[in-house]
Amino acid sequence: MSEQSQTAELTANQTYNAEHTNTNNGEHSVSYGTYFMVWLGLVALTSVTVTVAGIHLGSLTLITALLIAAVKTTLVGYHFMHLKFDNIIIKIFVMVCLGIFLCLWILTFADLSFR
Amino acid sequence: MANGSLAHEVSYLKYEGKHKGIAGWLLTLDHKRIGLMYLMAILLFFFVAMTLGILMRLEMLTPGETIMRPSTYNSVFTLHGVIMVFLFIIPAIPAVFGNFMLPIQIGAKDVAFPRLNLFSWYLYIAGAILAIVSLFTGGGAADTGWTFYVPYSIRSAQNVTMTTLAAFVLGFSSIVTGLNFVVTIHRLRAPGMTWFRMPLFPWALYATSWIQVLATPIIGITLALIILERLFGIGVFDASLGGDPILYQHLFWIYSHPAVYIMIIPAMGVVSEILPTFSRKDIFGYKQIAISSLGIALIGYLVWGHHMFVSGMSDASRVVFSLLTFLVAIPTGVKIFNWVATLYKASIKFSAPLYYVLAFIFIFSIGGLTGLVLGALSTDIHVTDTYFVVGHFHYVMFGGMGIMFFATMHYWFPKVFGKMYSEKIAIIACTVIIIGFNMLYFPFFILGYMGMPRRYYDYLPQFQGWHVLSTVGSWVLVSGIVFMFGNLLYALLKGPKAPMNPWGGTTLEWKVPSPPPLENFEEIPVVTGGPYVHDKPTYIMHPGKEGLNGNGVVKTANQENAI
Ligand code: HEM
Ligand SMILES: [Cu+2]
């Protein structure tokens, strides 16, 4: 369907120009070194999670585990999933998702913490 | 553009591309054909589940065993619920009419990802096949209810694993469709079609799609955990292994409450299309209606706990969830009042689709008001898990979304098939449906209030009167439904040809032939005003011929005035 892309071009043009001021659609040049460091960071955080699970922190255990997971998610999203390079609308999308996700957590904890 | 000239002359029903005959359908990338394939599949499952509903009502005609054993009844209500929810109402309006109308209404030739669109249909079919296979394999049809609550869903000897797997796969179909629509609306709007010039159906689909994309993964993970729990006993939900059964209910309803908005928001979107058409005036409060869809979607994420008031969750959260639940009334009220204001002092043309919409507003209001009884913590405890709940959700799901699905079929039938049906019969059928519906489900409220529990194949003799009335109602309802479909089927085969714009609609789908050509538009139109303006044209259908270039840049002074 070559017509398809035509429509896309036609109509996307206006929004595209507004939103895509400085995107480089080609290869993002990120060195392997950066990826490797991020990966090391993820491994380190995983071992922290495992260690913390062994210590009795009471209700803090869960919170710590979640905070670490949040940091890891951010790293993966930002570096591996290239949010770093994406334009603003995608970043807004992700922020909205995270905002809703946060609400879900708070409300679930309204049950768990007061049960 | 290999078939360029043909593609916007021949109707999408007749067009023959690379593949002919049945392959031309099964391998099609055309959003209209995919929408129709969804329609076929969805109607098939609707009839199956409707038959199961009738069988349940037959069983409830007398106390004790009437036509089936208790274990059969358990499987029948589970199957009825699973099919109605996952295979009928969740996909019905978005996958059929969203697919068909969204690109046309925003002035595009197709959705953003046509292949993904076809793929989502195959996912739907795969999920449906899994659900069917689950009936005959393993320990037999699942008997947990459509909610798959633990601990029973972990212990049940029936084939719960495969049924949950089916729902899991169906979830992916829903996510993919949602994703496709979000991108389509962001990227493929015609020149001049700003966000606030978009018709309200695309607005509703936009809000719905976000719920599909964000909430569905949660049910996916939850159902996957049930499967893992059954197969490997991982102990997330199983209390005897240190798990938390209430966590299951949280996760299930974090999806399933927003899911009720996946069902109803598109239906409300169609109401906002039909009303201005038959009122012959601009919709009242366009922006408020558009934004309220997003408002409902957002608040919809925060109220799931109202399904769990008796689950044993904390008192604090019960109060919070009860309070939050009442917030949903605000955006819903915004819509209802704006609709009524649209009808006020309008020159109303009383046609079949409008008749169904009025039935919807009436029945849905009963559903919504009984929802207040269930949302208020104190009253819910009295009627929870009784027939009152079953009455409530049939009023909102069937009376709301189901009736609006019928309304949508009648509104867009001439466009989709290029044929007219008998409006008189459509209205008579609708009347029979309204009578049957209330006979069938209103007794549920009374029974529930009296203490009749849901999901029981048996009851105490004092309930029989209402049960008999309800069962007779189910026969009336089904006659109405069969009559209605008969009328449409007859029109399909023998109906007169439909004109381009039989109802006097103002949105883009009424500016293209009935049925539309393969690529919808000869030229991508240019939009110069709002969607429901009746007294002057707000679309330029042939911008090229009229001296506008493709990007909507004005060439002549005359056109400048128009824009
Ligand atoms: C043809 C008309 C229908 C009839 C006669 C009917 C009848 C029933 C009956 C008798 C029950 C079982 C009540 C109980 O024992 O707890 C039930 C449950 C249910 N129905 Fe319907 N129904 C119909 C249409 C629908 C529609 C259109 C929907 C959805 C849009 C729907 C969704 C459900 C759901 C979700 C349940 C709960 C299943 C469960 O408990 O797991 N029904 N229906
Ligand atoms: Cu709910």
Side-chain angles (χ1 to χ4, degrees), chain B residues 253 256-257 260 303-304 306-307:
Chain B
W253 288 109
S256 295
H257 186 81
V260 308
V303 302
W304 77 84
H306 60 215
H307 297 276

Side-chain angles (χ1 to χ4, degrees), chain B residues 319-331:
Chain B
V319 174
V320 170
F321 277 122
S322 184
L323 194 76
L324 287 172
T325 296
F326 285 93
L327 291 183
V328 183
I330 298 170

Side-chain angles (χ1 to χ4, degrees), chain B residues 46 50 53-54 56-57 73 77-78 80-81 84-85 88-89 145-147 387 390 393-394 397-398 440-441 444 454-456 474 477-478:
Chain B
F46 174 71
M50 186 176 89
I54 295 301
M56 274 191 285
R57 281 319 312 165
Y73 187 81
F77 73 66
T78 302
H80 168 83
M84 282 298 190
V85 170
F88 174 59
I89 20 176
W146 78 280
T147 47
Y387 261 62
V390 185
F393 71 66
H394 281 97
M397 292 212 251
F398 191 178
L440 165 57
Y441 296 120
F444 283 17
R454 72 187 279 205
R455 294 178 174 170
Y456 272 56
S474 75
L477 174 67
V478 168

Side-chain angles (χ1 to χ4, degrees), chain B residues 254-283:
Chain B
I254 284 177
Y255 166 74
S256 295
H257 186 81
V260 308
Y261 296 112
I262 299 181
M263 306 168 193
I264 201 65
I265 294 177
M268 292 172 154
V270 185
V271 176
S272 310
E273 294 293 325
I274 295 180
L275 282 182
T277 297
F278 294 101
S279 307
R280 318 196 153 277
K281 63 187 252 232
D282 202 343
I283 189 134

